[in-house]
Amino acid sequence: MSLINNFIKFDLNETTRKSIAEYLWIGGSGKDLRSKARTLPEPVTDPAKLPLWNFDGSSTDQAPGDDSEVILRDPFRGGSNILVMCDTYTPAGYPIPTNKRFNADKIFNHPDVAAEEPWFGIEQEYTLLQKDTRWPLGWPVGGFPGPQGPYYCGVGADKSFGRDIVDAHYKACLYAGINISGINGEVMPAQWEFQVGPATGISAGDQLWVARYILERITEIAGVVLSFDPKPIPGDWNGAGAHTNYSTKSMRNDGGINVIRKAIEKLGLRHKQHIAAYGEGNDRRLTGRHETADINSFSWGVANRGASIRVGRDTEKAGKGYFEDRRPASNMDPYVVTSMIAETTILWKP
């Protein structure tokens, strides 16, 4: 492996102007990520200058064809090599069913939405599993660790499992140019969280998907399985979510608390539609226990982690700010969730 790493770390700039572009796209399930690489004659920084490329849709449960949208630095190859986030189209130019970015971009480009400059901060939770047993990292095989309590933000070999993976991901995201704002250990051992944001509009989805890709690559190197299942272990263990923090310009201005209340009222009226779009298996997580609200009811409160929507004490005190939608599951599509929140709170007329 050390010899292979020497080749991986070659600085191409010493011998050629060519660079490598790793094209990323969302697979046919709408949850998996795929990628393949191509050589560019010279470094590229403008997505419009990247060539369109196709792929074998029969192998990814999709029709072929993708279009580049976002360029980030490649933390695995370094140098002038890049990661390219793409959305996918049929050969005739129509977005394929798993291309949720297409409709999200239309919502974020609506004049009324763009004028509000929607900001998002997404708290992505995930679980690290042992490769051969699919059991959480650090847990005794076929058994359980001690009950929850000491693991949240815990320190020590008996409380924190996989920190090297988490730190590697943190630094790789910063290198790539993703606005990752922090990490922490979660309530269930072997469960972790990273936060992306604040990011404006469509950028929140772009950045979260690439951050997920980087995490998948790092766990691949470590020989660990990454799970975004919203309830990976049944019983008295916390599930995994993707709490989505949100504000608009009107919410951030003086008197914004009134705009926040009206937005929350709208979200309550469309609770079922949002739940249906907030991730698969969320019914196993949103039980009314383990810091969740029941999936069948809508609630909100100040500093209430058992509510559907939480308003922070700082927001209440300042009379402006943001709120947190605690319903999205860890496996949600950020393009769907962020655009739906913006559509409901800004465009939808009850």
Side-chain angles (χ1 to χ4, degrees), residues 24-336:
L24 328 177
W25 70 96
I26 299 163
S29 71
K31 295 182 291 185
D32 61 313
L33 283 156
R34 308 291 180 122
S35 75
K36 63 177 184 175
R38 70 181 297 160
T39 303
L40 303 176
E42 60 184 4
V44 174
T45 58
D46 180 1
K49 295 182 179 179
L50 284 166
L52 298 182
W53 206 8
N54 59 14
F55 57 90
D56 179 6
S58 64
S59 297
T60 63
D61 296 322
Q62 296 167 300
D66 58 30
D67 189 11
S68 55
E69 297 293 344
V70 181
I71 291 179
L72 294 165
R73 293 185 295 275
D74 186 339
F76 302 102
R77 295 190 176 103
S80 58
N81 304 300
I82 55 176
L83 301 177
V84 183
M85 186 65 197
C86 304
D87 52 3
T88 46
Y89 298 84
T90 67
Y94 298 104
I96 65 173
T98 53
N99 182 357
K100 306 301 183 183
R101 190 184 193 278
F102 181 81
N103 284 327
D105 200 39
K106 288 201 295 187
I107 291 170
F108 286 122
N109 280 318
H110 189 287
D112 293 347
V113 176
E116 283 289 349
E117 298 176 9
W119 291 359
F120 296 93
I122 302 174
E123 304 170 25
Q124 176 68 71
E125 294 178 342
Y126 60 93
T127 308
L128 299 175
L129 305 178
Q130 301 170 50
K131 183 178 178 180
D132 295 330
T133 62
R134 294 297 199 275
W135 200 238
L137 196 66
W139 289 33
V141 176
F144 298 88
Q148 295 183 151
Y151 308 109
Y152 175 71
C153 298
V155 178
D158 58 342
K159 305 178 191 69
S160 176
F161 310 118
R163 189 185 297 276
D164 52 347
I165 294 171
V166 175
D167 278 347
H169 174 248
Y170 194 177
K171 291 181 179 179
C173 283
L174 288 172
Y175 177 90
I178 292 169
N179 190 24
I180 184 171
S181 47
I183 55 99
N184 60 266
E186 269 301 329
V187 178
M188 189 184 87
Q191 190 181 91
W192 293 83
E193 173 185 300
F194 66 89
Q195 304 93 33
V196 167
T200 303
I202 197 71
S203 176
D206 290 336
Q207 293 194 49
L208 189 70
W209 272 116
V210 178
R212 285 175 173 177
Y213 170 81
I214 292 172
L215 184 55
E216 286 271 21
R217 286 284 303 276
I218 288 173
T219 53
E220 173 191 321
I221 294 168
V224 170
V225 174
L226 171 63
S227 172
F228 290 115
D229 190 294
K231 187 72 173 180
I233 304 296
D236 195 18
W237 303 98
N238 274 36
H243 301 157
T244 302
N245 300 274
Y246 170 69
S247 72
T248 63
K249 183 188 289 185
S250 298
M251 295 176 191
R252 297 188 293 269
N253 288 340
D254 290 342
I257 192 69
N258 296 319
V259 182
I260 288 173
R261 291 193 182 104
K262 290 177 182 177
I264 293 173
E265 182 180 351
K266 284 185 172 184
L267 289 169
L269 294 174
R270 297 189 78 192
H271 176 64
K272 289 184 178 179
Q273 293 93 320
H274 279 255
I275 286 294
Y278 273 16
E280 294 183 16
N282 218 4
D283 57 307
R284 293 182 284 117
R285 168 180 163 261
L286 296 180
T287 61
R289 300 182 62 215
H290 304 113
E291 299 181 310
T292 70
D294 184 88
I295 194 169
N296 296 309
S297 60
F298 180 85
S299 60
W300 75 277
V302 175
N304 183 358
R305 296 183 183 277
S308 308
I309 304 290
R310 183 181 70 90
V311 175
R313 292 197 185 279
D314 289 345
T315 293
E316 181 190 41
K317 183 177 180 180
K320 59 184 177 181
Y322 71 98
F323 63 83
E324 175 190 37
D325 191 339
R326 297 179 59 82
R327 297 172 294 173
S330 51
N331 60 8
M332 63 81 159
D333 187 327
Y335 293 135
V336 173

